[in-house]
Amino acid sequence: MSGLATIAKRLLEALPTLFGVILVTFLLTRALPGDPAVYYAGPAADAESIAQVRHAMGLDRSLPLQFASYVKGLAAGDWGVSLSTGRDVTEELGRRLPASLELTLLGLLIAIVIAIPLGVLAATRPNKPIDHICRIIVTTGVSMPVFFTGLLLVYVFYYLLGWAPAPLGRLDFMHIAPDRVTGLYLVDSLIAGDFEVFRASLAHIFLPALTLGIFALAPIARMTRAAMLDVLSSDYIRTARASGLATRTVLFTYALRNALLSVLTTLGMVFSFLLGANVLVEKVFSWPGIGSFAIDALVASDYAAVQGFVLAMALLFVTLNLIIDLLYAVIDPRIRAAS
C-alpha cells in the first residue's frame, strides 16, 4: 500500500471518531448549567428580550434540528461565530492555535531532551545512583499538578530571583510581534532576523514550556527505561555483544532504535496530554492560546467556541496519530515491509 493510500485509509477510519466527538461535544454543551440566552441578553433583560435572543441563537429549536444545522454548517466550513468575541470560531482558533502549538512543542522538546537520555542511563545502570535519580524525578514529575509547577516556577524565577519576565503573555509591551509567517514567534522572529524579539519570545515562553516539560518527562523517561531494559535483555543484543560489537554501537544502533517504537507511542499520548494541560498553563501565564479561549468560552456558555475547540483538538489528535503511524514505518522496516 502506498503512502498516500495509507494516509487516505487512516483519514477514512477517523471519520466515525470525529463524528462521535462532534455529537458528544454538542450534547455536553447543551447539558452545561446556565442559559446562554440569559447571559447574552444581559441582567436587565425581561422575558420577552430573552426569548428573542434565544430565537436568534436557534436555541428554541429541538436538539436534532440544532445538531443538523450545526453539522450542515461544519460541512460547509462554517464552525459558527463566537458570541464572546463576535468573530468566526475558525478565525479565533487560527489566531490562537500557533501560540498553543509553539508552547506545547517546546515543552515536549524539553521533555524529550531530558527524559530519553535519562531513561537510557537508568536502563544501562540499574539500581545505581542515576537509576535512583531517574525514579525520584519521575515520581516528582507525576506527583506535582501542572498548575502548581507553573506557580512555583513563577514564584522562584520571577518573584524571588527576577530572572524571568512577568508571566503576562508571549511578549511584553516593549516589543512588537514579528510579521506573521507561521504564527510561531520564535520562528517568525528568526525569519525576520529580529534577534531581540527572538530573545524576548524565548524568555517569555521558557517558564510555561518548562512547566509542560516537567509534566511530560516522567512518562517518557519511565517508558524509555522500561523499553531499554526489555531490549537489552533480548537474545539479539546478547548476540551482538558476544560478536564483539562496541557498546556504543549495540546501545544506539540496535537497542535504542528498537526501544524507540514504544517511546514513540508514549510521545503521541504525552503530546495529547500536553494539549489538555495547556489549558491550565495558559491561564497561569496569561498565554493567549486556545486553552484560555476555551475556558473563557466555557464560562460564558459560548457553545460554538467550545465545540470548535474540542473539534480542533480532535483533528490535532487524528493528525498526530497519523504521523506516528507513518513514523512507525520509517523506524521499523518490518512494518514498512508488511505495508
Side-chain angles (χ1 to χ4, degrees), residues 156-171:
V156 174
F157 291 100
Y158 167 66
Y159 183 73
L160 291 182
L161 301 177
W163 293 353
L168 296 174
R170 305 177 75 180
L171 281 175

Side-chain angles (χ1 to χ4, degrees), residues 140 163 252 284 335:
T140 305
W163 293 353
F252 293 104
V284 171
I335 298 177

Side-chain angles (χ1 to χ4, degrees), residues 273-320:
F273 293 153
L274 288 184
L275 285 174
N278 255 352
V279 175
L280 296 175
V281 175
E282 288 179 4
K283 292 306 288 185
V284 171
F285 290 91
S286 301
W287 198 258
I290 58 175
S292 55
F293 173 63
I295 288 183
D296 294 340
L298 198 60
V299 172
S301 297
D302 190 347
Y303 291 166
V306 174
Q307 291 168 175
F309 167 76
V310 177
L311 182 56
M313 289 295 100
L315 290 174
L316 278 176
F317 294 157
V318 169
T319 305
L320 179 66

Side-chain angles (χ1 to χ4, degrees), residues 114-138 220-229 232 251:
I114 298 173
I116 290 184
L118 188 63
V120 171
L121 288 172
T124 53
R125 297 168 178 79
N127 297 320
K128 297 293 177 61
I130 186 65
D131 192 18
H132 297 308
I133 292 174
C134 179
R135 290 175 183 172
I136 293 173
I137 293 176
V138 166
I220 299 174
R222 178 178 292 177
M223 179 53 68
T224 303
R225 179 183 180 276
M228 284 295 292
L229 283 174
L232 289 173
L251 191 62

Side-chain angles (χ1 to χ4, degrees), residues 128-204:
K128 297 293 177 61
I130 186 65
D131 192 18
H132 297 308
I133 292 174
C134 179
R135 290 175 183 172
I136 293 173
I137 293 176
V138 166
T139 304
T140 305
V142 170
S143 304
M144 294 175 64
V146 65
F147 70 91
F148 177 77
T149 306
L151 291 174
L152 182 63
L153 291 178
V154 169
Y155 178 72
V156 174
F157 291 100
Y158 167 66
Y159 183 73
L160 291 182
L161 301 177
W163 293 353
L168 296 174
R170 305 177 75 180
L171 281 175
D172 53 41
F173 68 93
M174 297 175 60
H175 296 91
I176 299 175
D179 294 335
R180 183 182 177 113
V181 179
T182 64
L184 313 178
Y185 280 9
L186 293 177
V187 177
D188 290 351
S189 58
L190 286 178
I191 292 175
D194 194 339
F195 296 104
E196 184 177 348
V197 172
F198 175 79
R199 284 192 294 271
S201 301
L202 187 61
H204 278 78

